[in-house]
């Protein structure tokens, strides 16, 4: 017990200060202490703990703790601890400071009891996280970071507009269920949706995450999208539109992940896919659906983090991450290969692994609420996940053809972080009550019944059979050096052409209008010149008597108007 109660984000911000002024040799261990102290502080906070204040007549609640926010708070501490351990070999002050500010901002966002506080930490997430991309210090990383930052700032601006309209409409800034019933709520829904990587707004994720540093990607995979999932679960539970958006998110990334060569980009597409499952659960809105979405968010941070860590270790040791350049690494990195397989089994929802006990909740909720077509789509998405994340990632990185690369095993701290994540994947999969007891709603759900186990086992078996058959027949998409565009194609092909065509049209209209105005001006000038020429009306001499007659006439007209 610490004996004092501090806002959860504050200790992380103090950790960033320590990283800024501390020496390179002890910064890493000091950050581990910071995370542990913050976790103890959170654990001792009483149930329902909150802080309230007034600002310019507005009632604010900067800190609000309930079961939903508390679970995400625990999750972010676990993710921060694993990520800090994974990055102990890093002496880059920029990454360490940015990482602590980033994790602290995520905690500030999930414990925000009002929308204004949420907005502040929402923007802090964007500003701090982009340095984990730029820290790679390549031109590609800089460009990807700029695009990432622009999209994140746009999300923040939409959120701010929604908050202003919401306050004007309701006179309150409390962050409770919002619902899609006003323009203000639509602005906030879109702001949350951008950070949730909705279809057509997802490219910031698949573009930027693979360009971050090996350690930075692990941090990125844990916080930004999960804060958005939390915000959606609190603000828009039961919004049926999310069911169909989520089903789309779960399915379309599969096709791009299968043909993608960059294995970290494969995982980025897989992250969008897993977010789709969470959106479906939130959209269903029942206690089982919300519990499933939150549980899957919890598990996804751990098993996706494990996969990103394994690929980060490969990149760190080999300098390569394309599937076409890897293979045979199980000879040099056997421990990393085994830990990667644990992550692959978890994301594929093998029984006894963490993904199974959360994904089945969402699938069950969909069937229970008669979303039968959505259930079939999620079943297809589950098979796709097994193909591109469960098989492709470990197969092409560690097995497949022998690339001839011989390197050292991952550093001890990377192996330790991956081992902690792998242990959690197994512990939650074998003892799901460890997670279920902390979910927002009490539940007696059991993932291990005959129907769930048989359905998932058959799905995995036939998916593996399909992969083997396609591979033997040479029909599985090979790992080839390539650049694949999904919705980016709209930005890079038709949109520039449309803008150029519009520009040419505007130029033509502008030239036409200019030439017409010049023609009218020239004609007017010629006519005025003619009027002032020797024979023109304005050049004629008028006698004094004629002028006097005109003046008398005008005076008479004025008198008539004045008196009659």
């Amino acid at each position: 017990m610490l004996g004092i109660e501090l806002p959860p984000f504050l200790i992380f911000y103090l950790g960033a200060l320590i990283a800024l002024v501390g020496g390179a040799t002890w910064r890493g261990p000091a950050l581990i202490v910071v995370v542990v102290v913050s976790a103890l502080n959170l654990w001792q906070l009483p149930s329902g703990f909150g802080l309230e204040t007034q600002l310019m007549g507005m009632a604010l609640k900067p800190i609000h703790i309930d079961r939903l926010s508390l679970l995400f708070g625990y999750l972010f501490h676990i993710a921060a601890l694993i990520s800090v351990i994974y990055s102990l070999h890093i002496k880059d002050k920029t990454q360490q400071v940015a990482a602590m500010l980033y994790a602290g901002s995520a905690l500030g966002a999930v414990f925000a009891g009002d929308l204004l506080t949420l907005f502040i930490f929402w923007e802090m997430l964007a500003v701090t996280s982009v340095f984990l991309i730029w820290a790679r210090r390549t031109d590609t990383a800089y460009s990807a970071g700029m695009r990432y930052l622009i999209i994140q700032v746009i999300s923040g601006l939409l959120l701010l507009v929604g908050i202003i309209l919401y306050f004007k409409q309701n006179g309150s800034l409390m962050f409770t269920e919002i619902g899609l019933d006003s323009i203000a709520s639509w602005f906030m829904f879109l702001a949350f949706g951008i950070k949730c990587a909705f279809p057509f707004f997802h490219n910031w994720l698949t573009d930027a995450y693979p360009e971050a540093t090996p350690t930075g990607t692990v941090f990125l995979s844990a916080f930004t999208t999960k804060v958005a999932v939390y915000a959606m679960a609190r603000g828009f539970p039961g919004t049926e539109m999310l069911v169909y958006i989520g089903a789309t998110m779960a399915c379309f990334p599969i096709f791009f992940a299968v043909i993608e060569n960059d294995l970290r980009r494969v995982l980025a597409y897989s992250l969008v896919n897993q977010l789709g499952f969470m959106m479906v659960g939130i959209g269903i809105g029942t206690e089982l659906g919300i519990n499933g979405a939150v549980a899957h968010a919890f598990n996804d941070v751990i098993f996706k983090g494990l996969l990103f860590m394994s690929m980060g270790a490969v990149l760190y040791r080999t300098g390569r991450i394309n599937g076409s350049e890897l293979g045979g690494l199980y000879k040099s990195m056997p421990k990393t290969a085994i830990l990667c397989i644990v992550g692959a089994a978890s994301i594929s929802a093998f029984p006894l692994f963490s993904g199974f006990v959360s994904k089945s909740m969402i699938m069950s909720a969909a069937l229970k609420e008669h979303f039968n077509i959505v259930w079939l789509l999620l079943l297809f998405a589950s098979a796709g996940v097994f193909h591109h994340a469960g098989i492709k990632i470990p197969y092409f990185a560690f097995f497949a053809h022998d690339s001839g690369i011989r390197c050292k095993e991952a550093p001890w701290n990377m192996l330790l972080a991956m081992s902690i994540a792998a242990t959690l994947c197994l512990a939650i999969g074998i003892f799901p009550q460890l997670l279920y007891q902390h979910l927002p709603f009490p539940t007696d759900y059991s993932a291990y019944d005959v129907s769930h186990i048989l359905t998932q086992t058959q799905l995995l078996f036939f998916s593996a059979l399909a992969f083997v058959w396609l591979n033997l027949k040479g029909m599985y998409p090979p790992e080839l050096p390539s650049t694949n565009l999904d919705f980016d194609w709209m930005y890079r092909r038709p949109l520039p052409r449309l803008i150029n065509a519009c520009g040419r049209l505007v130029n033509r209209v502008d030239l036409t209008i200019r030439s017409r105005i010049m023609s009218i001006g020239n004609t007017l000038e010629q006519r005025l010149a003619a009027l002032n020429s020797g024979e023109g009306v304005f050049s004629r001499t008028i006698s004094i008597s004629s002028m006097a007659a005109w003046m008398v006439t005008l005076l008479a007209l004025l008198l008539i108007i004045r008196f009659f």
Side-chain angles (χ1 to χ4, degrees):
M1 300 290 285
L2 299 179
I4 56 174
E5 298 171 349
L6 296 174
F9 70 89
L10 183 59
I11 299 177
F12 274 82
Y13 279 16
L14 293 174
L17 181 61
I18 292 172
L20 182 63
V21 301
T25 55
W26 57 269
R27 275 201 303 264
L31 296 184
I32 293 178
V33 174
V34 167
V35 176
V36 172
V37 170
S38 180
L40 291 173
N41 173 69
L42 179 62
W43 177 71
Q44 74 165 1
L45 292 178
S47 178
F49 175 78
L51 298 176
E52 298 183 10
T53 186
Q54 291 279 335
L55 177 64
M56 299 172 61
M58 298 180 293
L60 302 179
K61 197 171 187 179
I63 306 295
H64 173 71
I65 296 179
D66 58 11
R67 289 179 64 91
L68 177 60
S69 59
L70 188 60
L71 181 63
F72 278 91
Y74 289 144
L75 171 62
F76 288 165
H77 278 86
I78 294 171
L81 179 63
I82 293 173
S83 300
V84 169
I85 293 173
Y86 183 79
S87 60
L88 278 177
H89 62 286
I90 296 296
K91 307 303 179 185
D92 185 353
K93 184 179 292 187
T94 299
Q95 291 191 65
Q96 292 171 315
V97 172
M100 296 306 288
L101 290 173
Y102 180 38
S105 299
L107 286 168
V110 298
F111 288 120
D114 65 83
L115 292 168
L116 184 59
T117 303
L118 174 69
F119 167 74
I120 293 171
F121 287 112
W122 195 265
E123 292 296 80
M124 283 294 295
L125 279 169
V127 174
T128 55
S129 59
V130 73
F131 286 96
L132 298 174
I133 303 169
W134 287 338
R136 199 172 180 189
R137 296 176 174 86
T138 64
D139 291 339
T140 305
Y142 176 76
S143 299
M146 286 300 298
R147 290 190 291 271
Y148 170 90
L149 184 60
I150 289 169
I151 297 299
Q152 298 301 306
V153 169
I154 289 173
S155 171
L157 290 175
L158 290 171
L159 178 59
L160 180 60
V161 172
I163 291 171
I164 293 171
L165 295 176
Y166 185 82
F167 180 72
K168 184 178 180 181
Q169 176 182 333
N170 299 284
S172 172
L173 288 175
M174 292 299 103
F175 187 20
T176 56
E177 183 174 343
I178 299 170
L180 282 179
D181 57 0
S182 66
I183 295 177
S185 62
W186 275 99
F187 271 105
M188 288 187 277
F189 181 77
L190 185 57
F192 296 163
I194 289 174
K195 266 191 166 67
C196 283
F198 275 9
F200 309 127
F201 302 105
H202 66 281
N203 294 106
W204 63 268
L205 194 158
T206 57
D207 185 30
Y209 281 25
E211 299 302 331
T213 64
T215 54
T217 304
V218 178
F219 279 96
L220 289 169
S221 67
F223 297 115
T224 296
T225 53
K226 301 312 178 293
V227 169
V229 169
Y230 161 81
M232 199 68 81
R234 183 170 292 283
F236 299 96
T239 302
E240 188 172 337
M241 183 186 300
L242 284 174
V243 176
Y244 306 108
I245 293 174
T248 304
M249 291 172 64
C251 293
F252 85 84
I254 293 170
F255 302 99
F256 295 103
V258 166
I259 64 174
E260 180 57 57
N261 190 26
D262 185 323
L263 297 183
R264 290 206 300 173
R265 187 163 274 109
V266 172
L267 290 176
Y269 277 113
S270 178
L271 179 53
V272 177
N273 160 273
Q274 297 302 301
L275 289 167
F277 281 88
M278 300 170 210
M279 291 301 104
V280 170
I282 294 170
I284 292 171
T286 60
E287 291 187 359
L288 181 60
I290 298 295
N291 278 346
V294 173
H296 202 56
F298 190 101
N299 289 333
D300 181 74
V301 167
I302 298 171
F303 60 62
K304 188 61 60 58
L306 176 55
L307 289 169
F308 270 118
M309 284 190 285
S310 63
M311 291 302 99
V314 168
L315 178 60
Y316 178 75
R317 283 306 193 197
T318 68
R320 306 176 188 180
I321 199 59
N322 289 336
S324 58
E325 301 172 351
L326 297 173
L329 286 180
Y330 73 93
K331 299 176 182 178
S332 301
M333 306 177 72
K335 297 175 183 176
T336 303
I338 293 172
L339 293 167
C340 179
I341 291 172
V342 173
S346 298
I347 196 173
S348 302
F350 272 83
L352 301 182
F353 290 85
S354 59
F356 177 77
V357 303
S358 55
K359 189 178 291 184
S360 61
M361 295 180 80
I362 300 172
M363 305 278 284
S364 298
L367 276 180
K368 189 174 181 180
E369 299 303 314
H370 308 293
F371 289 103
N372 298 325
I373 301 299
V374 172
W375 180 82
L376 290 173
L377 291 173
L378 295 182
L379 206 62
F380 165 77
S382 298
V385 171
F386 182 45
H387 267 258
H388 70 254
I391 298 178
K392 178 174 180 172
I393 293 294
Y395 179 72
F396 286 106
F398 298 102
F399 304 100
H401 62 281
D402 191 344
S403 62
I405 299 174
R406 298 295 179 264
C407 60
K408 295 181 180 179
E409 179 60 274
W412 69 268
N413 61 294
M414 286 187 169
L415 291 174
L416 176 59
M418 288 188 282
S419 298
I420 294 172
T423 301
L424 288 172
C425 288
L426 286 166
I428 294 173
I430 297 172
F431 306 105
Q433 287 302 323
L434 292 174
L435 175 59
Y436 288 174
Q437 64 183 332
H438 297 291
L439 293 176
F441 301 103
T443 180
D444 57 356
Y445 177 81
S446 174
Y448 290 105
D449 62 28
V450 175
S451 62
H452 293 152
I453 295 174
L454 284 179
T455 300
Q456 190 63 16
T457 303
Q458 291 174 16
L459 177 71
L460 295 170
F461 174 77
F462 286 109
S463 295
L465 193 63
F467 175 82
V468 172
W469 184 80
L470 290 171
N471 218 28
L472 290 175
K473 293 295 183 179
M475 298 171 63
Y476 193 84
E479 300 299 288
L480 298 174
S482 60
T483 299
N484 301 313
L485 302 179
D486 52 30
F487 196 71
D488 271 357
W489 181 82
M490 294 294 295
Y491 304 133
R492 303 188 188 194
R493 292 292 186 271
L495 190 58
R497 292 174 183 173
L498 177 62
I499 292 173
N500 290 334
C502 290
R504 289 192 295 269
L505 178 62
V506 169
N507 285 335
R508 289 175 186 171
V509 172
D510 179 65
L511 289 174
T512 301
I513 293 174
R514 286 173 182 270
S515 61
R516 184 61 178 166
I517 291 174
M518 290 297 295
S519 175
I520 294 172
N522 290 333
T523 302
L524 182 61
E525 182 182 5
Q526 292 171 2
R527 292 183 178 180
L528 289 173
L531 291 172
N532 286 282
S533 64
E535 298 298 326
V537 174
F538 295 157
S539 298
R540 296 175 184 174
T541 302
I542 302 176
S543 65
I544 295 176
S545 59
S546 298
M547 181 62 71
W550 277 109
M551 292 300 294
V552 170
T553 303
L554 289 173
L555 182 58
L557 288 173
L558 288 173
L559 290 172
I560 292 171
I561 293 171
R562 174 67 180 83
F563 292 105
F564 297 97

